[in-house]
């Protein structure tokens, strides 16, 4: 038994250390060594604790650092399907995947406006790290991307370009923060009317949005860091609301029934603007090819990894798209209505389904259903979503590749 009658203070040992020392003696030498009240005792850990406490007695101004036990975590498997609601706290509702740190989800998504033209903007940086990749026509035969980051970060994303009216219709559905570099005055008016939050290059500046001096064309030289953008958003009060409600999607690695075999989709946004996604059976993902100045298609890579851009799902949404009523500079500008729904095409696992997209409310993610009206399960991972006009057509070629012409 422990000898509590001895005066440990005479030996310069704190009482707590003395008690633990007696426990060590029991653990390593006495009858029933290695146990106390039937519970195994880690003698090495106890001795380390005693040493730390004894040292603190000789250095009373120092706080002892005590050995800590490493908790044994029980791995809880993620059971699919997940969604459209009730996602586990460590699962990204935009990808259906577990995140490395659940704290990542205690923020709002960043919707970063990324250039696609001029072609010297390619290859873009950081697109492979996005949860959702949106692409749609802007003006003069060009498209731009909106890359949404939530469950993971990217050190370099861009080139970041100016905002468009279309962004103000999309961003509210994901409670996202629009990250851009400037905008036309009328677009700023639409941003104000929509109530969305934005991070502009000014006043954000570096390290949130930095200019890359190695890029010769200045309009293609702005890049963002999602870690620093999140810090900036928190600093200016854009993350005060806690974790957003991003329920709405369904994910399941099991391939649903009723699909048509397809090698992918080729989307013609304009005469000289083409994006192709081809299914790679080895990678089990869709790989991106983009048009060149000669009209040929070549792999689109991520400049930060050098690898071809790949996604797990390709979605083509037919949306009511129309000319913007306001005047913006000397150029054309388009608007769209995401408040209702429309036809949709889904590509996953080398197969295609027809269905419908639908609004789940002005501040909730869009939802996707199959031909029966049931939620369509996406493959867990990154999704690319193309928005094409409501006069657009889709047709299956003999190669089983689907062709889409974007008619606004």
């Amino acid at each position: 038994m422990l000898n509590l009658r001895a005066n440990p203070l005479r030996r310069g040992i704190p009482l707590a250390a003395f008690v633990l020392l007696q426990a060590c003696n029991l653990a390593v030498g006495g009858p029933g060594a290695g146990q106390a009240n039937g519970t195994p005792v880690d003698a090495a850990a106890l001795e380390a604790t005693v040493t730390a406490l004894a040292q603190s007695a000789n250095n009373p101004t120092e706080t002892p650092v005590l050995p800590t036990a490493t908790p044994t975590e029980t791995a809880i498997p993620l059971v699919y399907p997940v969604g459209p609601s009730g996602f586990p706290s460590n699962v990204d509702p935009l990808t259906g995947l577990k995140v490395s740190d659940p704290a990542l989800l205690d923020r709002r998504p960043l919707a970063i406006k990324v250039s696609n033209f001029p072609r010297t903007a390619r290859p873009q940086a950081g697109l492979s790290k996005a949860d959702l990749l949106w692409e749609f026509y802007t003006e003069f035969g060009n498209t731009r991307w909106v890359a949404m980051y939530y469950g993971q970060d990217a050190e370099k994303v861009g080139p970041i370009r100016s905002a468009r009216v279309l962004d103000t219709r999309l961003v509210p559905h994901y409670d996202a923060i629009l990250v851009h570099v400037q905008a036309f005055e009328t677009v700023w008016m639409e941003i104000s009317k929509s109530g969305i939050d934005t991070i502009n290059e000014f006043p954000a500046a570096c390290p949130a949005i930095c200019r890359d001096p190695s890029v010769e064309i200045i309009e293609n030289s702005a890049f963002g860091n999602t870690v620093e953008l999140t810090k900036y958003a928190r600093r200016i009060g854009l993350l005060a609301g806690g974790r957003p409600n991003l329920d709405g999607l369904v994910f399941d690695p099991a391939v649903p029934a009723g699909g048509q075999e397809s090698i992918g989709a080729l989307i013609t946004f304009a005469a000289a603007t083409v994006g192709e996604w081809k299914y790679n059976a080895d990678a089990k993902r869709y790989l991106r090819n983009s048009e060149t100045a000669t009209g040929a298609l070549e792999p689109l890579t991520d400049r930060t990894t050098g690898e071809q851009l790949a996604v797990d799902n390709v979605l083509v949404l037919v949306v009511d798209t129309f000319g913007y009523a306001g005047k913006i500079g000397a150029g054309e500008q388009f608007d769209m209505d995401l408040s209702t729904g429309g036809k949709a095409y889904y590509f996953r696992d080398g197969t295609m389904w027809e269905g419908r997209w639908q609004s789940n409310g002005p501040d909730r993610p869009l939802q996707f259903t199959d031909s029966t009206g049931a939620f369509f399960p996406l493959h867990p991972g990154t999704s690319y979503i193309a928005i094409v006009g409501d006069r657009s057509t889709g047709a299956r070629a003999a190669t089983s590749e689907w062709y889409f012409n974007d008619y606004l």
Side-chain angles (χ1 to χ4, degrees):
M1 59 182 296
L2 297 179
N3 182 8
L4 298 179
R5 295 184 178 182
N7 186 352
L9 299 179
R10 291 181 180 177
R11 299 173 56 188
I13 302 176
L15 178 60
F18 175 74
V19 172
L20 284 169
L21 181 60
Q22 295 298 317
C24 277
N25 290 335
L26 264 178
V28 299
Q35 291 192 351
N37 294 326
T39 302
V41 176
D42 188 336
L46 284 171
E47 289 181 349
T49 302
V50 170
T51 300
L53 288 170
Q55 289 175 347
S56 70
N58 297 325
N59 300 280
T61 60
E62 297 182 5
T63 301
V65 179
L66 303 180
T68 57
T70 301
T72 301
E73 296 183 356
T74 302
I76 301 176
L78 176 56
V79 179
Y80 288 104
V82 292
S85 60
F87 286 89
S89 61
N90 63 340
V91 173
D92 182 349
L94 299 184
T95 65
L97 297 174
K98 287 184 178 180
V99 294
S100 59
D101 180 3
L104 281 172
L105 305 181
D106 294 330
R107 58 177 178 175
R108 296 165 62 190
L110 297 169
I112 304 181
K113 192 72 179 183
V114 177
S115 178
N116 197 37
F117 286 91
R119 294 186 182 92
T120 52
R122 306 173 193 166
Q124 295 90 342
L127 295 185
S128 59
K129 292 284 189 177
D131 288 5
L132 300 177
L133 287 170
W134 302 80
E135 186 179 14
F136 42 80
Y137 185 86
T138 52
E139 67 276 326
F140 302 130
N142 297 343
T143 64
R144 285 188 182 172
W145 304 70
V146 173
M148 289 188 177
Y149 298 83
Y150 183 50
Q152 58 181 339
D153 285 303
E155 293 183 359
K156 188 172 186 178
V157 179
I160 302 177
R161 295 296 301 275
S162 56
R164 291 291 183 269
V165 172
L166 296 162
D167 306 326
T168 69
R169 313 310 186 210
L170 173 64
V171 167
H173 284 278
Y174 297 85
D175 194 19
I177 301 168
L178 177 62
V179 180
H180 63 108
V181 172
Q182 302 306 332
F184 290 116
E185 180 181 358
T186 316
V187 177
W188 276 115
M189 293 174 59
E190 289 295 334
I191 288 173
S192 178
K193 286 166 55 178
S194 68
I196 66 173
D197 294 313
T198 68
I199 296 178
N200 188 28
E201 180 183 17
F202 303 107
C206 208
I209 300 176
C210 305
R211 291 284 174 171
D212 186 342
S214 67
V215 178
E216 294 182 3
I217 301 177
I218 191 170
E219 64 186 354
N220 290 338
S221 65
F223 294 86
N225 180 319
T226 63
V227 173
E228 297 298 334
L229 284 164
T230 299
K231 290 179 182 178
Y232 179 79
R234 181 169 286 110
R235 190 161 63 247
I236 63 174
L238 298 185
L239 302 184
R243 183 175 296 199
N245 183 349
L246 296 175
D247 290 352
L249 299 179
V250 175
F251 298 92
D252 194 344
V255 181
Q260 304 177 39
E261 182 180 352
S262 173
I263 64 173
L266 185 144
I267 307 162
T268 302
F269 291 97
T273 306
V274 180
E276 180 185 51
W277 294 92
K278 274 196 170 181
Y279 186 67
N280 183 294
D282 293 330
K284 296 183 179 180
R285 306 188 81 193
Y286 292 86
L287 306 182
R288 170 70 178 228
N289 297 307
S290 293
E291 90 296 327
T292 65
T294 65
L297 293 172
E298 67 177 11
L300 179 66
T301 60
D302 187 322
R303 74 169 68 180
T304 58
T305 65
E307 297 180 357
Q308 189 171 3
L309 185 60
V311 298
D312 301 281
N313 306 283
V314 173
L315 293 80
V316 180
L317 311 185
V318 179
V319 176
D320 183 12
T321 308
F322 43 89
Y324 175 62
K327 183 180 179 181
I328 298 183
E332 60 179 339
Q333 190 69 214
F334 290 92
D335 203 345
M336 64 180 172
D337 183 5
L338 292 178
S339 66
T340 55
K343 194 167 186 178
Y345 301 82
Y346 314 128
F347 298 81
R348 55 161 292 179
D349 300 284
T351 312
M352 192 284 301
W353 292 259
E354 295 186 50
R356 293 189 64 82
W357 68 269
Q358 63 187 28
S359 173
N360 189 28
D363 57 353
R364 291 289 183 271
L366 302 181
Q367 293 184 309
F368 310 115
T369 59
D370 61 21
S371 59
T372 70
F375 287 114
F376 181 81
L378 300 176
H379 193 290
T382 300
S383 296
Y384 164 87
I385 306 173
I387 292 177
V388 299
D390 61 349
R391 295 190 300 115
S392 303
T393 57
R396 185 175 187 268
T399 61
S400 80
E401 184 172 35
W402 279 72
Y403 294 93
F404 297 89
N405 291 310
D406 185 6
Y407 295 108
L408 302 175

